[in-house]
């Protein structure tokens, strides 16, 4: 059984901290530096260490080189593993084949997305909350849309994020110039408001003590904690945004995993259309992590301080920076939202949720406090008194299992590990066996 004393012993070990792989600053040719006269973007210089998930991938490669015969199991980067249902894959294959014919060939599509798919998204996910197909913008994934939204908002807005939260919210804020300088003492950027979302606050920020920010990034179900915000919590968030004239960027990428009555969209909350944008994705819903397809909803009622509609500017950003999602991917998206397609993807989601239960039961049996895993494919496991990168190394070295250190999601992620339930069931069962032997 895991104990705090075991965790504390790991703190005393010499441990390789995450390192940055960088190209040489200079290319030497016959002793002459070949630098340009173009300065580096100062905001890029403010990024801390390597981005979390490539860092983990690098460590995975190093581990395989060290233990070439080990059977590695990944409970780390949240990549789907189950095959895409045939009805969906066939739809994409048929569309691709049709491109070889004069009748079936098509070139550029609308930047905002295939009209039939926009309508299907609106009717499938937002039927009861008045979202129009013209408010849906189809994209190549929600993470790409987060960056496009940052471009829309610019560098002069103030930002708030959940702590812990998905790293892209913070890193994109740094790159666009919103974040200010990194403070080593706190592990935070000076101009970003980190809203603590802890177990003792039911993973929701204390809005009574929160200061005003222009933009609030909020993910539910949350990555990494797996917590789905309740209706009452989201009502508080919308009220807070309206009182402060803020815009919520609501990430609902994991909404399909919700099992209880937690809202699946911010637009289920009255008044949200006046203060919120929603981004979502087919990645974890339909296994499209490698196909790349998502969407953003921008309500017509949402406006800037001068009254100008946000949707108009976002449309301009999309038309300027994006040529539209792949027509083949969009054909797959339409197949996902057919009755047979929906039934197929929900059966796969059920499989991942069963995996989550196996892992949740395993960590609980070790005497660890486990959160999430019920409304999301992620578990948030507490290792009291430990550094999360130390736990990452301990688990990897002794069990050949990849996890994700909680500190990569923000200062309040320290002592926690994010465990992904994406995987084949037989691999999950084997992982549970190995973990049980690690902390017997």
């Amino acid at each position: 059984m895991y104990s705090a004393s075991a965790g504390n012993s790991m703190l005393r070990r010499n441990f390789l901290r995450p390192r940055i792989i960088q190209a040489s600053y200079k290319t030497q040719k016959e002793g002459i530096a070949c630098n340009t006269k173009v300065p580096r973007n100062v905001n890029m210089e403010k990024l801390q260490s390597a981005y979390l998930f490539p860092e983990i991938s690098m460590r995975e490669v190093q581990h395989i080189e060290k233990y070439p015969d080990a059977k590695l199991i990944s409970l780390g980067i949240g990549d789907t593993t189950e095959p895409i249902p045939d009805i969906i894959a066939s739809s994409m294959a048929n569309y691709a084949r049709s491109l070889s014919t004069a009748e079936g060939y098509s070139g550029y599509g609308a930047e905002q997305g295939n009209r039939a798919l926009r309508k299907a998204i609106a009717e499938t996910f937002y039927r009861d909350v008045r979202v129009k197909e013209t408010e849906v913008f189809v994209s190549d994934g929600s993470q790409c849309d987060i960056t496009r939204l940052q471009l829309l908002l610019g560098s002069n807005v103030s930002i708030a994020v959940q702590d812990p939260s998905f790293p892209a919210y913070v890193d994109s804020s740094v790159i666009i110039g919103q974040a200010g300088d990194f403070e080593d003492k706190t592990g935070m950027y000076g101009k970003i408001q980190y809203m603590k979302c802890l177990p003792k606050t039911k993973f929701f920020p204390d809005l009574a003590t929160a200061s005003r920010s222009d933009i609030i990034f909020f993910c539910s179900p949350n990555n990494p904690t797996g917590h789905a915000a309740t209706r009452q919590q989201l009502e508080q968030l919308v009220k807070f945004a309206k009182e402060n004239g803020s815009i919520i960027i609501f990430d609902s990428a994991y909404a399909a995993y919700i099992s209880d009555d937690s809202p699946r969209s911010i637009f289920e909350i009255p008044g949200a259309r006046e203060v919120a944008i929603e981004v979502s994705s087919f990645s974890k819903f339909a296994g499209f992590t490698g196909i790349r397809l998502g969407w953003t909803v921008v309500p017509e009622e949402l406006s800037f301080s001068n009254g100008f509609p946000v949707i108009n500017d976002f449309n301009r950003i999309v038309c300027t920076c994006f040529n539209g999602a792949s027509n083949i991917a969009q054909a797959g998206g339409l197949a996902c939202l057919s009755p047979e397609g929906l039934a197929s993807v929900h059966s796969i989601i059920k499989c991942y949720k069963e995996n989550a239960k196996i892992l949740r039961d395993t960590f609980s049996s070790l005497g660890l406090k486990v959160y999430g895993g019920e409304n999301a494919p992620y578990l948030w496991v507490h290792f009291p008194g430990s550094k999360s990168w130390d736990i990452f190394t301990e688990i990897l070295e002794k069990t050949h299992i990849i996890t994700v250190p909680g500190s990569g999601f923000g200062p309040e992620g320290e002592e926690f590990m994010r465990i992904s339930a994406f995987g084949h069931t037989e691999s999950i069962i084997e992982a549970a066996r190995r973990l049980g032997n690690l902390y017997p």
Side-chain angles (χ1 to χ4, degrees):
M1 179 175 291
Y2 179 83
S3 66
S5 59
N8 287 332
S9 69
M10 284 184 274
L11 293 174
R12 296 189 290 270
R13 298 179 185 173
N14 291 325
F15 175 67
L16 177 64
R17 297 299 301 169
R19 60 189 177 91
I20 307 173
I21 297 179
Q22 293 180 324
S24 172
Y25 286 129
K26 294 184 179 181
T27 301
Q28 298 290 335
K29 184 177 182 181
E30 298 179 350
I32 300 174
C34 298
N35 295 344
T36 70
K37 296 182 179 180
V38 180
R40 186 185 182 201
N41 183 334
V42 295
N43 295 320
M44 295 300 296
E45 295 177 352
K46 294 179 180 180
L47 289 169
Q48 296 300 300
S49 186
Y51 188 64
L52 176 62
F53 299 113
E55 172 70 28
I56 291 171
S57 295
M58 180 190 72
R59 288 173 178 243
E60 180 177 345
V61 170
Q62 292 173 341
H63 187 79
I64 292 171
E65 291 174 350
K66 184 177 179 181
Y67 302 102
D69 297 325
K71 294 182 179 180
L72 198 68
I73 297 175
S74 178
L75 304 180
I77 297 173
D79 196 0
T80 51
T81 57
E82 297 306 299
I84 293 173
D86 182 68
I87 183 176
I88 299 168
S90 295
S91 178
M92 291 187 284
N94 292 338
Y95 189 95
R97 281 193 292 269
S98 74
L99 295 175
S100 67
T101 69
E103 297 80 10
Y105 176 76
S106 62
Y108 290 126
E111 292 90 345
Q112 301 85 354
N114 178 309
R115 183 175 179 180
L117 179 56
R118 297 170 78 188
K119 181 178 180 180
I121 290 170
E123 291 182 348
T124 301
F125 301 107
Y126 305 103
R127 177 184 297 275
D128 298 326
V129 293
R130 299 189 299 113
V131 168
K132 304 175 183 177
E133 64 184 75
T134 53
E135 297 172 319
V136 177
F137 293 79
V138 177
S139 71
D140 50 349
S142 57
Q143 187 163 349
C144 299
D145 275 345
I146 288 166
T147 302
R148 292 186 190 105
L149 287 168
Q150 292 282 30
L151 187 60
L152 166 77
L153 298 166
S155 59
N156 293 325
V157 296
S158 55
I159 298 292
V161 298
Q162 293 162 286
D163 183 13
S165 69
F166 184 48
Y169 308 143
V170 170
D171 279 13
S172 62
S173 297
V174 175
I175 292 169
I176 205 71
Q178 303 160 342
D181 295 326
F182 186 76
E183 300 173 357
D184 290 319
K185 184 176 181 180
T186 63
M188 304 178 186
Y189 287 92
K191 291 186 178 180
I192 294 179
Q193 180 180 187
Y194 293 75
M195 303 187 299
K196 294 181 180 181
C197 295
L198 310 174
K200 65 182 180 182
T201 63
K202 298 183 179 180
F203 294 103
F204 191 74
D206 181 2
L207 297 179
T209 61
S211 58
R212 181 195 177 277
S213 295
D214 292 317
I215 308 299
I216 303 169
F217 282 97
F218 197 92
C219 180
S220 179
N222 180 263
N223 177 12
T225 67
H227 173 72
T230 65
R231 187 170 302 276
Q232 182 181 16
Q233 287 175 333
L234 292 183
E235 287 172 351
Q236 292 175 36
L237 182 65
V238 168
K239 182 174 182 288
F240 180 82
K242 294 189 77 170
E243 290 174 349
N244 288 279
S246 304
I247 293 177
I248 302 164
I249 296 179
F250 188 81
D251 188 342
S252 65
Y254 300 96
Y257 290 82
I258 293 177
S259 302
D260 58 22
D261 59 356
S262 300
R264 289 163 172 75
S265 168
I266 190 65
F267 299 121
E268 293 182 36
I269 308 303
R273 289 180 58 85
E274 300 169 15
V275 294
I277 293 169
E278 183 163 305
V279 296
S280 200
S281 172
F282 282 85
S283 289
K284 311 303 167 63
F285 163 63
F288 274 33
T289 52
I291 295 170
R292 308 308 307 146
L293 192 67
W295 70 89
T296 290
V297 176
V298 186
E300 293 175 351
E301 293 93 325
L302 185 65
S303 64
F304 292 110
S305 59
N306 65 355
F308 194 82
V310 174
I311 191 172
N312 290 7
D313 275 358
F314 187 67
N315 184 66
R316 180 62 181 267
I317 291 288
V318 168
C319 292
T320 302
C321 304
F322 186 51
N323 275 333
S326 159
N327 291 333
I328 298 170
Q330 291 189 77
L334 271 170
C336 287
L337 302 184
S338 69
E340 186 177 347
L342 282 170
S344 297
V345 297
H346 282 301
S347 69
I348 295 175
I349 290 171
K350 181 181 178 181
C351 174
Y352 291 138
K353 294 181 73 171
E354 290 171 351
N355 289 349
K357 184 180 186 305
I358 293 171
L359 292 169
R360 185 181 176 92
D361 290 346
T362 297
F363 282 105
S364 295
S365 72
L366 300 176
L368 295 165
K369 189 66 177 177
V370 185
Y371 305 94
E374 295 175 333
N375 287 322
Y378 299 125
L379 289 78
W380 191 237
V381 186
H382 190 204
F383 290 79
S386 302
K387 291 287 187 180
S388 55
W389 275 106
D390 291 352
I391 296 294
F392 172 90
T393 301
E394 175 85 357
I395 293 175
L396 180 59
E397 283 292 320
K398 293 187 175 182
T399 68
H400 306 299
I401 294 173
I402 295 287
T403 55
V404 181
S407 60
F409 299 96
E412 294 300 331
E414 195 61 277
E415 298 189 359
F416 288 86
M417 301 299 292
R418 192 196 77 173
I419 309 297
S420 170
F422 292 118
H424 301 306
T425 300
E426 57 270 24
S427 296
I428 298 297
I429 293 172
E430 171 61 16
R433 184 193 68 79
R434 295 183 194 179
L435 289 165
N437 291 334
L438 175 59
Y439 301 120

